[in-house]
Amino acid sequence: MGVNKKINVGMVGYKFMGKAHSHAYKDVGMFFDMDADVVMKAICGRDEEGVKAAADKFGWESYETDWRKLIARDDIDFVDINAPSDAHKEIALAAIAAGKHVFCEKPLALNLADGREMLAAAEKAGVKHGICFNYRFLPAVQLAKKIIDSGKLGEIHHYRATYLQDWLVDPEAPLAWRLKKEVAGSGAHGDINAHSIDLARFLIGEFDRVIGHNRTFVKERPIPVSMSGLSAVGSSEKGEVTVDDATAFLADFKNGAMGMFVASRFATGRKNHNTFEIHGSKGSIRWDLERLNELEVYFREDEPELAGFRRIMATEPEHKYAANWWPTGHIIGYEHGFVHITYEFLQHLATDSPFAPTFADGVRCQEVLEAVDLSIERGAWVSVDEV
Ligand code: SOE
């Protein structure tokens, strides 16, 4: 702490992402030198008992039960939107109209048109904007980008990504909000292929065209006692699942690379299996969220008798963000990616330093998501530039 400048954050949402973002606001000043102190002014949620408990536990100064009141407060500088996807646009447009900077969880919006409207409004108002693609900000992923940008992998031929979970494999798992198209926009595709698409754009560049297919394995599920997500207890009444349980797609990138992506919530045994493997003319790299400190690399320049994939621990002082935490070899976790993106966004607000991913990245991601959906409808390749 010890700086004079303050940045007052108001956050909408207090469940899983609300907890992850709250942790980031509390931790960032302890491990990073900030040009402004972040003040956890107010957290917002519809259920007063729940949001009050979260405010007390997470260390927020106050709470609101109506996001409109949060946005109207003149002691809020930026709004962090962690509400379900169907609320992103309305909250963001209101915050932008009130002159607040905005930070939004992924996917940016319910659909591409909404995302484009959010981007246009933010740019017209001149407010700062960001989207929480947190996985870009892990040291091993930053190292992957540095290796690729250095040319050490050579020409990229293949990008393969998986994002596999299994929290829906039980047909009795309740009809959480993520399973309703009108609330979530899409299922595994918009929720977790979104991460893989963003990582691919971050690491090797823009998509050219895509073709996909998807499945909804379980068509109806017990309606929860309260639509609060997986922790809800299902009733005997059933409701229709209106999103994908799994979506896979092929892609061509503008740089000529071939892409293969799969996101599933029915990958039994895989809990949060976010991976990418990239093959270039001079080498390859592989990353797995379940071993997020590590990057596997293979370089053809190695002597043949010494050639092979080797494991780099991205926990050295030379690895981005690693020195802010612990001595060499002391690993970090899932929550640290949120601290890093929060640091970068707060510095962006305080010093106008460069920041990505912004709403523009959120729109590019939404374009790929929708191009895949369109390709599924047509049963044919779709150019991303067409959507
Ligand atoms: C559920 O699939 C979820 O919480 C995603 O919404 C997050 O973005 C991902 O990081 C973990 O899984």
Side-chain angles (χ1 to χ4, degrees), residues 16 106 135 163 165 178 191-192 195 272 334:
F16 176 11
K106 39 52 63 183
Y135 295 118
Y163 205 139
Q165 300 174 341
R178 289 192 187 285
D191 182 25
I192 44 182
H195 279 299
N272 199 34
Y334 165 76

Side-chain angles (χ1 to χ4, degrees), residues 172-194:
E172 292 307 310
L175 194 70
W177 67 264
R178 289 192 187 285
L179 304 180
K180 301 300 289 181
K181 186 172 180 63
E182 69 274 14
V183 181
S186 69
H189 189 44
D191 182 25
I192 44 182
N193 259 340

Side-chain angles (χ1 to χ4, degrees), residues 140-159 199-205 255 257 276-287 295-297 299:
V141 176
Q142 291 281 323
L143 177 62
K145 177 140 180 77
K146 191 174 180 181
I147 290 170
I148 293 166
D149 289 354
S150 74
K152 209 169 164 60
L153 288 198
E155 180 189 357
I156 305 298
H157 297 131
H158 291 283
Y159 190 101
L199 282 174
R201 290 192 56 244
F202 174 61
L203 292 168
I204 73 165
N255 65 8
F276 58 77
E277 183 160 346
I278 304 170
H279 302 290
S281 57
K282 295 162 68 179
S284 297
I285 53 177
R286 182 179 188 277
W287 179 77
L295 190 69
E296 290 180 64
V297 297
F299 299 121

Side-chain angles (χ1 to χ4, degrees), residues 42-359:
I43 187 170
C44 180
R46 284 169 294 192
D47 174 62
E48 180 160 17
E49 186 183 347
V51 72
K52 183 181 184 310
D56 295 342
K57 190 166 185 61
F58 299 161
W60 289 83
E61 286 186 4
S62 63
Y63 69 89
E64 298 284 355
T65 55
D66 177 351
W67 58 262
R68 295 165 189 81
K69 288 185 181 166
L70 180 82
I71 285 172
R73 288 175 54 161
D74 58 12
D75 63 346
I76 299 291
D77 299 316
F78 86 95
V79 178
D80 182 355
I81 305 166
N82 295 328
S85 309
D86 64 330
H88 288 187
K89 181 178 90 168
E90 189 180 17
I91 297 171
L93 293 183
I96 291 163
K100 314 289 187 184
H101 305 299
V102 281
F103 190 64
C104 188
E105 260 300 330
K106 39 52 63 183
L108 182 62
L110 207 54
N111 54 54
L112 178 55
D114 285 1
R116 283 174 168 158
E117 190 178 341
M118 291 162 71
L119 173 58
E123 289 178 333
K124 185 176 179 195
V127 298
K128 289 182 166 62
H129 47 95
I131 182 169
C132 191
F133 282 120
N134 50 295
Y135 295 118
R136 290 188 182 204
F137 294 84
L138 291 165
V141 176
Q142 291 281 323
L143 177 62
K145 177 140 180 77
K146 191 174 180 181
I147 290 170
I148 293 166
D149 289 354
S150 74
K152 209 169 164 60
L153 288 198
E155 180 189 357
I156 305 298
H157 297 131
H158 291 283
Y159 190 101
R160 273 194 323 281
T162 71
Y163 205 139
L164 306 176
Q165 300 174 341
D166 70 357
W167 56 279
L168 285 179
V169 76
D170 174 0
E172 292 307 310
L175 194 70
W177 67 264
R178 289 192 187 285
L179 304 180
K180 301 300 289 181
K181 186 172 180 63
E182 69 274 14
V183 181
S186 69
H189 189 44
D191 182 25
I192 44 182
N193 259 340
H195 279 299
S196 298
I197 290 165
D198 180 73
L199 282 174
R201 290 192 56 244
F202 174 61
L203 292 168
I204 73 165
E206 298 302 339
F207 287 76
D208 181 33
R209 63 174 192 157
V210 294
I211 186 165
H213 68 129
N214 65 14
R215 282 286 186 292
T216 302
F217 295 107
V218 172
K219 309 281 189 205
E220 55 177 22
R221 291 180 175 274
I223 293 177
V225 168
S226 65
M227 286 291 279
S228 64
L230 292 182
S231 55
V233 175
S235 63
S236 55
E237 193 185 348
K238 296 226 173 183
E240 186 188 6
V241 175
T242 53
V243 296
D244 59 296
D245 288 326
T247 294
F249 67 95
L250 300 176
D252 283 340
F253 288 87
K254 291 194 185 294
N255 65 8
M258 291 173 69
M260 292 172 69
F261 296 77
V262 57
S264 177
R265 293 161 165 170
F266 275 69
T268 310
R270 292 298 185 189
K271 301 307 176 181
N272 199 34
H273 194 64
N274 176 2
T275 71
F276 58 77
E277 183 160 346
I278 304 170
H279 302 290
S281 57
K282 295 162 68 179
S284 297
I285 53 177
R286 182 179 188 277
W287 179 77
D288 177 346
L289 177 62
E290 293 169 359
R291 303 182 68 153
L292 65 81
N293 293 279
E294 303 167 21
L295 190 69
E296 290 180 64
V297 297
Y298 179 97
F299 299 121
R300 290 185 64 212
E301 67 191 15
D302 290 347
E303 294 169 47
E305 66 181 353
L306 301 179
F309 274 95
R310 55 190 166 89
R311 181 168 64 106
I312 297 172
M313 288 294 290
T315 55
E316 298 303 299
E318 293 76 15
H319 296 126
K320 192 162 186 184
Y321 306 122
N324 287 79
W325 295 98
W326 318 116
T328 174
H330 291 63
I331 56 175
I332 61 172
Y334 165 76
E335 69 278 18
H336 294 82
F338 290 93
V339 179
H340 302 158
I341 191 171
T342 297
Y343 163 69
E344 298 293 358
F345 191 69
L346 290 172
Q347 287 296 98
H348 176 56
L349 295 181
T351 69
D352 208 21
S353 53
F355 178 83
T358 69
F359 279 13

